[in-house]
Amino acid sequence: MAEQQPRKKRTRALPPIQRKSIVVKMQLKSSAVTQRVQGISDRLKTMTARIAGLYVLTTSNAEVRTRLETWFSAEIAEVDRRRQLLSTMHQMELKELGGQPAKFDIVTPDSYAIEIEVEHPIFWRVITAITEIDASAAELENMWLSGEIDDQTTFRARNIATNAITHFINVEEYEKIMASLTGQQKSEQAEDTDVSDSQEDQVEEKMVVNA
């Protein structure tokens, strides 16, 4: 009779970990910012989630955490720099009008709303950066709709706003930071192995002497 093969135990796959989150509905006001954010929303959300994960991983690694914070703060600052350009343009246009823009009821479509799941405090910094540049871009768009600024001016403003969103979060720099963290972890694992090998050698030496 043929020998029966032992049955392999089936291992059940663990369910994915579900994290707490806050669903934030952002009602954007600028058509330029809305179109750009909606166009790259998946990448933006994914990269923000990855950065959040990197913040968690570097909690006990001061060197890489400092590099991460320096880089991410610079990304936020660049968006704010472009926001300030839009704000300066708006103030200059207002000055030419004597500080009194026309007052119209601007209708913003409901489709300008997007949802973001906040899974880490770092998301709030991204939301704030987008909200602020959106508000500045919307002011100039509203002046254009009111006939107070020309097409050339609004075209410049649109480019500034869309470029701020498009170039937000440098993927290459993120990958460099991630690679440096991975490299450190491998180095630490190698050091742990060396230490354990050295300890084994010491044990063997003691055994020979005692023999």
Side-chain angles (χ1 to χ4, degrees):
M1 292 178 65
E3 294 183 1
Q4 291 184 347
Q5 295 293 331
R7 293 184 179 179
K8 294 182 179 180
K9 293 182 178 179
R10 293 182 179 179
T11 56
R12 293 183 179 179
L14 295 175
I17 298 175
Q18 294 182 337
R19 298 179 176 85
K20 289 183 177 180
S21 64
I22 301 173
V23 178
V24 177
K25 187 174 182 179
M26 297 174 61
Q27 181 61 53
L28 301 177
K29 301 175 181 178
S30 161
S31 60
V33 172
T34 300
Q35 290 174 13
R36 189 78 287 245
V37 169
Q38 290 179 342
I40 64 169
S41 62
D42 290 341
R43 181 178 73 83
L44 190 62
K45 293 173 184 177
T46 298
M47 285 306 304
T48 305
R50 288 181 179 177
I51 292 169
L54 201 51
Y55 266 89
V56 173
L57 287 174
T58 57
T59 301
S60 57
N61 191 326
E63 180 182 348
V64 180
R65 167 59 75 89
T66 299
R67 182 178 172 185
L68 173 63
E69 177 59 29
T70 300
W71 163 70
F72 190 65
S73 295
E75 293 285 317
I76 296 292
E78 177 59 20
V79 176
D80 189 62
R81 183 187 71 81
R82 295 172 190 260
R83 179 199 63 77
Q84 291 177 26
L85 286 176
L86 294 176
S87 180
T88 299
M89 289 176 62
H90 181 237
Q91 293 302 321
M92 290 176 62
E93 295 298 334
L94 280 179
K95 188 175 182 180
E96 290 187 8
L97 294 172
Q100 294 295 330
K103 294 183 179 180
F104 293 99
D105 291 329
I106 307 296
V107 179
T108 303
D110 293 337
S111 60
Y112 280 26
I114 63 170
E115 286 189 354
I116 294 181
E117 280 191 71
V118 175
E119 299 176 349
H120 184 279
I122 205 72
F123 278 80
W124 295 113
R125 294 169 69 177
V126 175
I127 290 172
T128 298
I130 293 175
T131 301
E132 290 180 349
I133 195 168
D134 171 70
S136 294
E139 288 177 335
L140 286 162
E141 288 178 0
N142 293 347
M143 291 184 72
W144 173 74
L145 281 173
S146 303
E148 296 170 321
I149 60 176
D150 57 26
D151 291 344
Q152 185 177 3
T153 301
T154 192
F155 180 76
R156 284 176 51 215
R158 185 181 183 86
N159 281 342
I160 291 173
T162 54
N163 285 336
I165 303 300
T166 301
H167 299 296
F168 184 44
I169 301 182
N170 187 318
V171 179
E172 292 182 359
E173 187 60 27
Y174 162 83
E175 290 177 347
K176 289 179 182 178
I177 296 173
M178 191 65 189
S180 67
L181 176 62
T182 304
Q184 281 192 8
Q185 289 176 336
K186 288 182 178 179
S187 177
E188 290 172 359
Q189 289 174 356
E191 289 177 1
D192 290 342
T193 302
D194 292 341
V195 170
S196 61
D197 289 344
S198 176
Q199 290 174 343
E200 288 180 3
D201 291 341
Q202 292 175 7
V203 171
E204 289 180 359
E205 289 178 2
K206 288 181 181 179
M207 292 176 66
V208 171
V209 171
N210 291 335

